[in-house]
Amino acid sequence: MKYEVHMEGKTRVVELERHGAAWRISLDGQPVAADALEISPGVYSILLGGRSHEVRVMIAPDGSLQVQSGLYEFAAKVVDPRSWRGRRHGVLEAEGRQQILAPMPGKVVRLLVKVGDKVEAGQGLLVVEAMKMQNEIRSPKSGVVERLQAKEGQPVNAGEVLAWVE
Amino acid sequence: MKYEVHMEGKTRVVELERHGAAWRISLDGQPVAADALEISPGVYSILLGGRSHEVRVMIAPDGSLQVQSGLYEFAAKVVDPRSWRGRRHGVLEAEGRQQILAPMPGKVVRLLVKVGDKVEAGQGLLVVEAMKMQNEIRSPKSGVVERLQAKEGQPVNAGEVLAWVE
Amino acid sequence: MFRKILIANRGEIAVRIERACREMGIRSVAVFSDADRASLHVRLADEAYPIGPAPSRESYLCIDKLMEVARRAGCDALHPGYGFLAENAALARACAEAGVTFIGPSPEAMEALGSKTEGRQLARRCDVPTVPGAVDPIERPEDAQLLAQSIGYPVLLKAVAGGGGKGMRLVSNAAEFAAGWRDASSEALNAFGDARLYLEKYLVQPRHIEIQILADAHGRVVSLGERECSVQRRHQKVVEEAPSPIMTQELRRKMGEAAVRLARAGRYVNAGTVEFLVDAGHNFYFLEVNTRLQVEHPVTEQVTGLDLVKLQIAIAAGHRLPFAWESITPRGHAMEVRLYAEDPDNNFFPSPGKILSRRTPTGPGIRLDDGVYQGWTVPTDYDPLLSKLIAWGNSREETIARLRRALDEFAITGIKTNVGLFRRILSEPAFLRGEMHTRWLDELLQVRAAVRDDDPSAVQAALIAAALWQLAQDGAHPNGNGGASPDDSSSRWKFEGRRELLDRMP
Amino acid sequence: MFRKILIANRGEIAVRIERACREMGIRSVAVFSDADRASLHVRLADEAYPIGPAPSRESYLCIDKLMEVARRAGCDALHPGYGFLAENAALARACAEAGVTFIGPSPEAMEALGSKTEGRQLARRCDVPTVPGAVDPIERPEDAQLLAQSIGYPVLLKAVAGGGGKGMRLVSNAAEFAAGWRDASSEALNAFGDARLYLEKYLVQPRHIEIQILADAHGRVVSLGERECSVQRRHQKVVEEAPSPIMTQELRRKMGEAAVRLARAGRYVNAGTVEFLVDAGHNFYFLEVNTRLQVEHPVTEQVTGLDLVKLQIAIAAGHRLPFAWESITPRGHAMEVRLYAEDPDNNFFPSPGKILSRRTPTGPGIRLDDGVYQGWTVPTDYDPLLSKLIAWGNSREETIARLRRALDEFAITGIKTNVGLFRRILSEPAFLRGEMHTRWLDELLQVRAAVRDDDPSAVQAALIAAALWQLAQDGAHPNGNGGASPDDSSSRWKFEGRRELLDRMP
């Protein structure tokens, strides 16, 4: 089985092939001495040339994979190049226009801008209260507030779109 | 849903009925003030008139249920009186004749009796080695060794029949 | 001694108190909101009763509901923990009326010392130095702004009813004043039901050092030494330790005496903490008294060997503090980190959700005061404190090494935590030298963390795990790898799968 | 200091050593048999290498395989843990030849002190009293039986190469001799590859008290005080504590001096334990020296505050023991219980299998030296020790209360453990009074445990849980409860199920 894994701005090809009692694994066509074991769903023990790694994989709210490898943490996307399933992983590729997503469930307590306002990168757009803390959601880029989905007092779920900045 | 639960030598009828946001539970027809929640598969938090119980349920090697309720441990069998499924729970009801089961996986290292021997309750029948310990398997009753399934040097699994004492 | 104690709290502190009860042979009674039915403090209690909907104002903050449970369950004492109603004199009064012993100071002592403004007045009367600023709550923002002008910026706005950094704002100049006032008072209203604020001068690079005191009902008041709590994010303590890296015998004696003097003046009984700011010249300024157990009490427990919760209970039951405790000498060094469900890479946003997998550290020198478990869903309704991780060692260096080791072992998926923040703090040279002040962490966080050394092996492992995860999602068997027949091609993968099946068979 | 240490062991002790390495900034290298690929010590190591099939004689006991891993991974030191090859001089010699530092005594000291017979000879030479019996291994059972006759029954048969109660048998009279000899020698052969036995007089109701010593390479030898290990089942320690309930300053000084004298005579370096039997008159008799770390070392760590594994590593690296350690005074009381995968209700049969669910205790005064995790399958190939639970308190009473509290919190399904045995021991009046001897537990176990008080509430909870479990097995929805429509009838049950689904959604 061959997968393209997009991680840290690079795309690598991981090939997994059964061989006798173990996996034969190659990276970008180069075989690696790896022994992989699933400890529990999403938790892997991987011995790589003797180095013992523990890797945890889970889905992030935006649909990408979050991969903890020891003390490191990566965002990844996996595509099976032989299938069309990869298509559903294309959502993150918006460029100029930025969606502002709720990073956690909570309640919108204050809007700091209105549609059409010019905003600077880092400027506060609205305030979400969650777990007794008021958290300012900031603009990731300089631009214009194109749409404001959120209303004051409205409960929001993690990953919900709050606004667009163009 | 109504179940007969055999536990500690008694049979009780447990009735589980959904009622609004909770269960309505009765024991032998008497309603009890119980709030039950599954914490994880087989682990239950049960509030009984305020008392907080944590109960763990699993299947024992002999097919009965092992129930840990706080510091107590019970063996139980559950029968749905409206169905035939209960029949499969009948295996334990042998009376005079006793099966001797391997209590853990290991290796038979020594037979201490042969077929036809008279044995006392508590007398050693054979020795199983597991986890570096030699463990004597004793007769649960006085009687005669009817059959010996095990051979010296033979690996055995937990629950496997080793002998019969009649 | 008491027979049954109502624990008017939730989370790790409720669990902590339940453990003390169990060790003393006292029955523990938990309360829970609708959001907490499956919480650890309900599972570990002897009894547990529902007290209403998730919002704390409709459950954990309802004195009448708590007293109803105390009555119904036949409790003879109540422990408030910290937060919620722990410093609320009305709860202490309700307990007194119901004949239930409140495990804490009297309502009068709570008011005399616990209110920030009255505490400062009392401090001045008994020669304990204080920070310049207002003593009374200030009603109108205009008056507050005038006062700020007169003592000079920066100033700190603080909730009269507050604690834990909530309802607190630093104002650096006149232009920021209005926004700071608005945010602080609205947060204070939300958190404590009381919007009133006061303000004080903000010292330059002070340390936050606090003294733990214990006072029995027979007039004995002792100091158990200090805790250094200078590592704070937005006025919220995140790392605490004892002893303080700057402490001297002389300073400890002087601060301990000041704390004991203040407690005596306020007729204080039970455990309490006197907080001070300490400047570079070892001058200390009274900040406030916390008339309750502190989140960071385990740090004192680890170096003194005392169990503060059990002592609280014993004091409330009228026991005397043995004379010998006045000469307690701390041993070794202890440090605590507060594990929060929040995302340090994303502006510390809270990160509630289901804990999918978790590995907690154990072993020598490690204590975990835990409030959660794998499979539990961290609710959105409360403070995101999950657990406290405490390390002890012979020296500050050994303690830090153990804490780093424990943090390396800690792993969690499903929610984000601030573990990475602690890894960073515990490797900062200034922290290792013990050179912190109350704004040190906020300043550090202005600087992007140094880019980690690339570890190609960890990256490769991540790539492989991601692919294996996808393979498992795609389900079933890899196809198209001709060759081996099903029988001799059993991968370790499939082998494990088969073993699991066997394990499950009776 | 070392750069990389090979850990020639598995289970909780391998994890313990890995933690010490990590805290010292040393890389840890684990080895594993085919049965241990998923074990905790592999997951927590920096590196891990396979060394063969499950049987220890083909993996953990293979010196050549260990040395090959040490060479391949570039290890500069090796820690043997306890058990397996920890007291095997051939491993120490192989290390020396390969230029790898063996973390333990020299092979010569190991032979001079570790061999039970040579150790007793040395003890006699340096005026340390010994138990009457044979000094040399006895080849022929007939000779052994003659000796037994001459010193009088009961006698104890012991494996020359043994430890941990394996290859040991109590023989009460001449009639039992042949069977005892056969079982002990076959067990010894299996466990140590050496069937040789010796025998000694069995004292009446003696206590087992041992002295922990540390010796550096520069001639300093210190005693860290005693551990009381009298609670044993079939000569296997199950509960250990420090200090001993019968200890006096005088007896501690005398036993410590004897232990140090013996260590000096044997030119001993590194950590070691001198075991004694102590009779009712406070007379002590040398038993043997364990030339390695003990299973129960955490008990000493908790009362002294020292980290014995780190000290072992420092000594092996040539560091000096600081002078101050000679005056270490124990603080408080510590107690350890060994959690085994065995069934106390069924003659302590081993109970390997998959750990389906597990809850471990945490909180104040509790240390867990863990070797397993939920979801892991306990293999049948090794000793069934899972983890060690250690409690510390200010007094023996507080320590016991904490340990009982921790045991109450401990829960496990999938395998049986001996937790119930500890609950029983910790509530026995004789144990609470500190009145134990080496046969106390075996005698206790002859008596059926008192029937527990009936707890109707726990019984009802069990009934309900069993029914709910069956309902879940039967799958899907309860039927036949007419009335409520699907919308308003959402049980908490179903509600939880739905919430879980929501939690899993991105």
Side-chain angles (χ1 to χ4, degrees), chain D residues 258-310:
Chain D
V260 167
R261 206 156 61 231
L262 195 60
R264 278 193 204 286
R267 297 183 183 282
Y268 195 82
V269 171
N270 217 295
T273 295
V274 184
E275 297 189 330
F276 295 99
L277 291 179
V278 181
D279 70 17
H282 277 205
N283 301 302
F284 58 92
Y285 304 92
F286 169 72
L287 214 51
E288 63 180 65
V289 178
N290 290 143
T291 60
R292 52 161 168 89
L293 195 67
Q294 299 276 85
V295 179
E296 59 270 27
H297 74 276
V299 155
T300 300
E301 293 185 327
Q302 293 309 107
V303 294
T304 61
L306 300 174
D307 186 315
L308 292 188
V309 177
K310 287 188 201 163

Side-chain angles (χ1 to χ4, degrees), chain A residues 17-25 34-37, chain C residues 484-498, chain D residues 34 37:
Chain A
E17 191 190 333
R18 283 180 298 154
H19 187 79
W23 286 98
R24 189 178 270 179
I25 298 174
D35 179 14
L37 182 71
Chain C
S485 79
D487 266 347
D488 66 6
S489 73
S490 67
S491 60
R492 185 188 286 283
W493 220 244
K494 291 184 64 191
F495 173 69
E496 282 301 311
R498 232 184 278 132
Chain D
D34 290 347
R37 169 63 183 88

Side-chain angles (χ1 to χ4, degrees), chain C residues 9 59 88 277 332 366 376 417 429:
Chain C
N9 218 302
S59 49
N88 186 310
L277 290 178
I366 296 303
W376 186 62
T417 71

Side-chain angles (χ1 to χ4, degrees), chain C residues 105 111 117 152 164 188 235 268 278 293 302 318 373 407 460 474 489 493:
Chain C
E111 284 164 344
T117 51
H235 315 295
Y268 195 82
V278 180
L293 195 68
Q302 294 308 107
Y373 58 89
L407 290 168
Q460 288 189 359
D474 295 349
S489 73
W493 220 244

Side-chain angles (χ1 to χ4, degrees), chain A residues 35 37 45 50-52 54, chain D residues 27 37 42-43 46-48:
Chain A
D35 179 14
L37 182 71
S45 167
R51 284 278 304 277
S52 175
E54 183 133 325
Chain D
R27 288 183 68 79
R37 169 63 183 88
V42 174
R43 296 173 62 192
D46 287 318
E47 300 179 24

